[in-house]
Structure formats: structure tokens, C-alpha cells
Amino acid sequence: MFDRDRWSEIWSSISSNKLRTSLSGLTIALALFVFITLFGLGNGLQNGFQQQFFNANSLNITISGGTTSESYNGFKKGREIKLKDKDVNFLKNSFPDEIKYVVATIAKSDTIRNANNSGSYSVTGVYPEYEQMINEKTSYGRFINDKDMKNQSKSIVIGRLVAQDFFPGQIAIGQNLQIGKGVYNIVGIFESADGGDNAERSIYTPYTTFKTIYATDEVSSIIITPADHLSLQDIKKLAITIDYNFKVRYNINPNDFTGVRVRNAAEQMEETDQFFFILTLMVFIIGGGSLIAGIVSIGNIMVFSVKERTKEIGIRKALGATPFSVLSLIMQEAILITLVFGAIGIALATLLVENIGNSLEDYFIFNPGVDSKSLVLATVILFVAGTVSGMIPALRAAKIKPIEALRDE
């Protein structure tokens, strides 16, 4: 399999055209370097977007009541729709395989006070699962738990800014706040990753506590986290099905878009995926353009090489060399140049991308990197590029006739 004489001949050909070979190889190396680097940075940008904007609540479906704009089934328009606690059970029973979490919330605005301050804040009754469904983190203490729900305890988790407003320079955990006419104990403090000041000036309490205090089965909203195995299209279909079912349950015209609102975050996520698809396409176009330039350059080198070795090739064929052996010789040389310089470009780009780390976080680029599939793809591209660049010169060399070659000056 290993023909030492053939490889010596290939090396001799490369050595006799060092400058042209190096420049052509550099084009290939640069093309692969650009491709791998841009691809890795693109992955980092996607990681950054997902970390900053699409975390726990990125695919949630939120249902809330509204006011009907169309009359339907004997009901007049302008009817106010109030969601009920039993709607949660309906969703659990109707979509057991499509839903990971489903919770109801009761949101009220009330006066909060202690000895230091007072003001109007948003207070929401939630389930323990709510913490897993939103982009907020309990930084101190704990969140609402099952024991709070069972005992209907007057426990609250407050936003970071609420703690600053009422307990400046103090430890808020274990302190009390008066909400309306009741006194509640602070068990946790949370921070919001994307909600800003409004989110961190909110307060959470057990859902069952609020339900008992306000003696109501009406809910402010229902939040659904889809099952992990659902695709974006599956989530969109689920949202459409839920919208249809709730309009049937509350006798709302199918064409009425204000009676009940079903907000689907998957649509926004899909638009982001389309953006990254375009970005990846641009990377392939830029890298592909550079690669084509490298292929043409190496092809030119091989054309010159064949031209300079016309007599030599003619003699080889006169001595019995087959067209295939001549073709394979030229192809091997082209593939060797492409693989060597391409591998250098891939190695340098991978080394660069893998060592960037989080130094570009200010530009929303987190942990850029290149996976093994991309490296395999780059290797395949290299081999194909080498084959294409050597094909035309190799075919030309294979067609050289010994008599014409010996006449060539």
C-alpha cells in the first residue's frame, strides 16, 4: 500500500514549488480557520442568547382570561372571562404526556408595610413548582414548599428590591411584613435574571393561603411548562389545542382573540432559531467562499505542476504507466497539500475557540466551542476539497500521450 518512490516523487514536486505550494495551502488553512472560528463563535452566541433570554420560562404557555369581543351561543360580547382553579385539573387530565408542570396563580396588589416603610406591591399566590418554571433564583433562604401549601402558612418570598426597601442594611430572612391586614414571615429572597426592577419588587406566598384568604376559586393565570420531549412545533400545536379547548369550555367564539389569551413563548424561540440558522448559513457561505478560493489556487498549482512534468509523465506512460497510476499520483499530491494545511487551520482555530472561555461575555458569547461532529464535517470537507482541486489537473495528466509529451518544449 505504501509506495516509497511515489511519496518521494510527490515530495520532490512540492519542494520544487515551495512558495506557490505554501501560498495555496495557506488559503486552505485560512478558509478552515475562518470556518471553525466563526462556527465556534456562533455556538457561543447561541449559548449566550439562551442563557440570557431563554432560561426556565423560555417555552412556557401562559393562559389568562380577558373580555369577549364577539357574541356567541346566546352570550353577549363584553363578557369578562375568569379562569377557575378546576381548569388546572382539566389540563392535567387532558394533556398528561405533553405537560411537565402546570400551576395556577392568584395575583393581587396590596399595601405592604413595616416600621420602616410602606407601599403598594404585587403579591402572588404560587405553587412550589413555580420556582422551576420561572427565570428567578432564590438567593437567600428558601422558596414556597409543600408544607407551606398544606398548612396554608403566612410565609412569603420577597424580591431583592423589596428587601432593600423594607430592611436596608439588615437581614430580611425571619422578619415580618404586614400585607393588608395579615402579618407574613419572610422565608426567602429571590433575584430575577430577566425581569428587572418590576420582578424584584414582587412577593410570593403559598397559593392555598391566598385562595383561603380571598375565598375564591378564580385564578389570575395558568402557567404550563411543556414536557421536555416536545419540539417547538409540538408546543405550538399544544398551545393551539389548549386555546380551542378553553374557548369551548367558556363558550367563546372561535374567532374571538380577546376572550381568553394563550401566550406561546415557543413562537419567539422559533424566530430565534431561524436567526441562528441564517447565521450558520452565513458562516458556511463565508467559509465556503474561502475554501473555493483555496481549491482554485491548489488546482492552479497542480496545473503548473503537470505542465512542468509533461515530458516526465510521457516517459512514464511510454514505460508502461497506466492512466490511472498517473491520475492517482496527481490526486495524491493535491489531497496531501490540502489535508496538511487544512489540518493546521483546523487545529489553530479549535485551539483559539476552546481557549476563549467567557472572555466575550460582554458580547453575549458564552463558552464558544466546536463539537466533534463539526470537526468530522471539516475533515470531510478537506478531503473533498483536495479531491476536487486535483481532479482536473489529474485528468489532464492521464490523457497525455507519450509521443506528444516527448515533443513538448
Side-chain angles (χ1 to χ4, degrees), residues 10 35 99 111 163 286:
I10 291 173
F35 171 75
I99 291 177
T111 300
I286 294 171

Side-chain angles (χ1 to χ4, degrees), residues 332-347:
Q332 274 183 266
E333 185 176 336
I335 292 173
L336 176 65
I337 295 171
T338 306
L339 288 178
V340 170
F341 283 94
I344 292 173
I346 291 174

Side-chain angles (χ1 to χ4, degrees), residues 24 79 119 139 174 188 203-204 239 247 272 285 323 354 374 382 394 403:
S24 299
R79 180 166 47 102
S139 50
I203 298 173
Y204 298 130
K247 286 178 177 178
T272 303
I285 291 173
E354 294 296 333
S374 300
L382 263 182
I403 296 177

Side-chain angles (χ1 to χ4, degrees), residues 106-171:
I106 301 175
K108 302 288 183 179
S109 181
D110 212 333
T111 300
I112 315 298
R113 59 171 58 91
N114 70 351
N116 299 320
N117 199 358
S118 67
S120 181
Y121 290 80
S122 171
V123 186
T124 306
V126 299
Y127 282 76
E129 295 92 334
Y130 188 75
E131 185 183 24
Q132 310 300 322
M133 304 170 68
I134 58 174
N135 198 13
E136 294 170 357
K137 182 180 73 172
T138 305
S139 50
Y140 300 99
R142 63 173 177 82
F143 199 71
I144 304 302
N145 59 28
D146 291 331
K147 186 177 180 181
D148 294 325
M149 295 284 287
K150 181 179 179 181
N151 296 333
Q152 299 180 21
S153 64
K154 290 187 175 181
S155 302
I156 53 173
V157 180
I158 63 175
R160 178 181 61 88
L161 296 181
V162 176
Q164 288 183 9
D165 291 343
F166 288 90
F167 306 99
Q170 303 177 49
I171 297 175

Side-chain angles (χ1 to χ4, degrees), residues 130-394:
Y130 188 75
E131 185 183 24
Q132 310 300 322
M133 304 170 68
I134 58 174
N135 198 13
E136 294 170 357
K137 182 180 73 172
T138 305
S139 50
Y140 300 99
R142 63 173 177 82
F143 199 71
I144 304 302
N145 59 28
D146 291 331
K147 186 177 180 181
D148 294 325
M149 295 284 287
K150 181 179 179 181
N151 296 333
Q152 299 180 21
S153 64
K154 290 187 175 181
S155 302
I156 53 173
V157 180
I158 63 175
R160 178 181 61 88
L161 296 181
V162 176
Q164 288 183 9
D165 291 343
F166 288 90
F167 306 99
Q170 303 177 49
I171 297 175
I173 302 295
Q175 305 253 29
N176 294 327
L177 280 177
Q178 183 176 341
I179 302 177
K181 297 181 180 180
V183 177
Y184 292 72
N185 181 253
I186 300 171
V187 298
I189 300 173
F190 71 87
E191 296 180 4
S192 174
D194 55 14
D197 290 358
N198 288 335
E200 293 187 347
R201 280 201 163 88
S202 299
I203 298 173
Y204 298 130
T205 194
Y207 177 85
T208 51
T209 302
F210 252 31
K211 182 179 179 181
T212 300
I213 289 175
Y214 289 100
T216 181
D217 64 345
E218 295 178 351
V219 303
S220 302
S221 66
I222 298 174
I223 304 173
I224 298 167
T225 297
D228 294 333
H229 67 271
L230 296 188
S231 65
L232 293 179
Q233 287 297 322
D234 291 335
I235 296 172
K236 289 176 67 177
K237 290 178 181 177
L238 175 62
I240 292 171
T241 305
I242 290 172
D243 181 72
Y244 170 80
N245 277 274
F246 270 71
K247 286 178 177 178
V248 171
R249 284 173 66 82
Y250 286 94
N251 285 297
I252 300 172
N253 191 311
N255 298 318
D256 188 337
F257 300 104
T258 62
V260 63
R261 296 182 177 89
V262 179
R263 292 188 293 277
N264 174 21
E267 294 180 358
Q268 187 178 3
M269 190 67 152
E270 191 172 52
E271 291 175 0
T272 303
D273 283 352
Q274 290 173 355
F275 165 76
F276 282 110
F277 171 76
I278 294 172
L279 181 63
T280 303
L281 188 62
M282 289 176 62
V283 169
F284 274 95
I285 291 173
I286 294 171
S290 302
L291 193 62
I292 290 172
I295 291 173
V296 172
S297 182
I298 290 179
N300 287 335
I301 282 290
M302 300 313 301
V303 168
F304 279 115
S305 178
V306 169
K307 181 67 177 175
E308 291 173 352
R309 296 160 63 188
T310 299
K311 282 189 177 181
E312 173 196 332
I313 293 172
I315 293 172
R316 290 172 67 92
K317 296 188 75 174
L319 294 175
T322 63
F324 177 77
S325 66
V326 174
L327 185 144
S328 61
L329 175 66
I330 304 302
M331 291 286 289
Q332 274 183 266
E333 185 176 336
I335 292 173
L336 176 65
I337 295 171
T338 306
L339 288 178
V340 170
F341 283 94
I344 292 173
I346 291 174
L348 291 176
T350 303
L351 188 64
L352 172 66
V353 170
E354 294 296 333
N355 283 281
I356 288 177
N358 292 327
S359 61
L360 298 178
E361 284 187 358
D362 291 342
Y363 303 96
F364 294 104
I365 297 177
F366 288 74
N367 296 320
V370 183
D371 56 24
S372 55
K373 291 182 180 179
S374 300
L375 293 178
V376 170
L377 175 62
T379 304
V380 171
I381 290 173
L382 263 182
F383 183 80
V384 172
T387 303
V388 171
S389 64
M391 183 64 70
I392 295 177

Side-chain angles (χ1 to χ4, degrees), residues 389-409:
S389 64
M391 183 64 70
I392 295 177
L395 290 173
R396 180 178 175 181
K399 292 178 181 178
I400 292 176
K401 296 179 179 179
I403 296 177
E404 294 178 357
L406 294 173
R407 290 175 181 172
D408 186 68
E409 295 296 335

